[in-house]
Amino acid sequence: MRPLTVALVDDDGLLNFTFRLMMSQLPMEVSLLNFSNAEEALDYLTVHKDDAKSLPDYIFLDLSMPRMGGWEFYQIFSETASKFIKEIALYIISSSVDKRDRERAVASKSVRDYLTKPVDLSQIQRILNGDCKPQVT
């Protein structure tokens, strides 16, 4: 099985540390891309849109970030996702318990699921072992 690449887009240093620790505890090889803001993540995706090995298989996106929020990232991502050489699975990971955020995420075509912080290792492992793995197009 090839190594998976996971991107975390979140400005929370504690979550970044915890997520990195969780990735190291998985029974599979995972490369983690850490982005502390949405613009940085979008720039990376744009630069690497034709490089399947550099693009993440999964993105875990926080909604509440300074400068560009998660929903703004989602809007741009969903408009440009067809330009990427492979499908990228997008998951919202947020401390928001607002029902409207969850409903919006579930209703969208690009979001696979909405996870409420704190996220635990079993949730991440279930996603990465799931039947809906992204495929190279």
Side-chain angles (χ1 to χ4, degrees):
M1 186 167 141
R2 72 175 179 79
L4 295 174
T5 301
V6 173
L8 175 64
V9 185
D10 196 313
D11 64 322
D12 181 346
L14 181 58
L15 178 69
N16 289 330
F17 173 79
T18 304
F19 213 80
R20 191 175 319 112
L21 185 61
M22 283 192 294
M23 294 298 112
S24 71
Q25 295 174 348
L26 291 169
M28 62 188 76
E29 189 177 344
V30 178
S31 174
L32 179 63
L33 300 171
N34 241 350
F35 301 103
S36 60
N37 66 67
E39 296 97 331
E40 181 183 11
L42 286 171
D43 288 346
Y44 179 90
L45 294 173
T46 301
V47 167
H48 298 284
K49 68 180 173 51
D50 296 321
D51 183 1
K53 289 182 181 180
S54 295
L55 286 174
D57 300 293
Y58 299 86
I59 295 176
F60 292 90
L61 173 68
D62 184 30
L63 292 180
S64 180
M65 292 181 286
R67 299 190 334 212
M68 178 189 286
W71 287 123
E72 189 176 352
F73 173 96
Y74 160 77
Q75 185 66 40
I76 295 168
F77 175 84
S78 62
E79 291 169 359
T80 59
S82 65
K83 295 179 180 158
F84 302 137
I85 191 88
K86 71 178 184 183
E87 180 183 355
I88 301 171
L90 178 64
Y91 289 81
I92 301 293
I93 179 171
S94 182
S95 57
S96 172
V97 292
D98 187 336
K99 227 196 249 189
R100 294 171 294 188
D101 283 335
R102 178 176 289 283
E103 290 168 354
R104 183 176 177 186
V106 170
S108 75
K109 292 179 182 178
S110 299
V111 176
R112 298 274 177 98
D113 203 355
Y114 184 99
L115 308 172
T116 304
K117 291 178 185 177
V119 177
D120 64 40
L121 181 62
S122 65
Q123 288 175 294
I124 301 301
Q125 193 164 359
R126 177 186 54 81
I127 289 168
L128 299 183
N129 285 330
D131 294 329
C132 57
K133 292 197 188 306
Q135 300 296 315
V136 174
T137 56

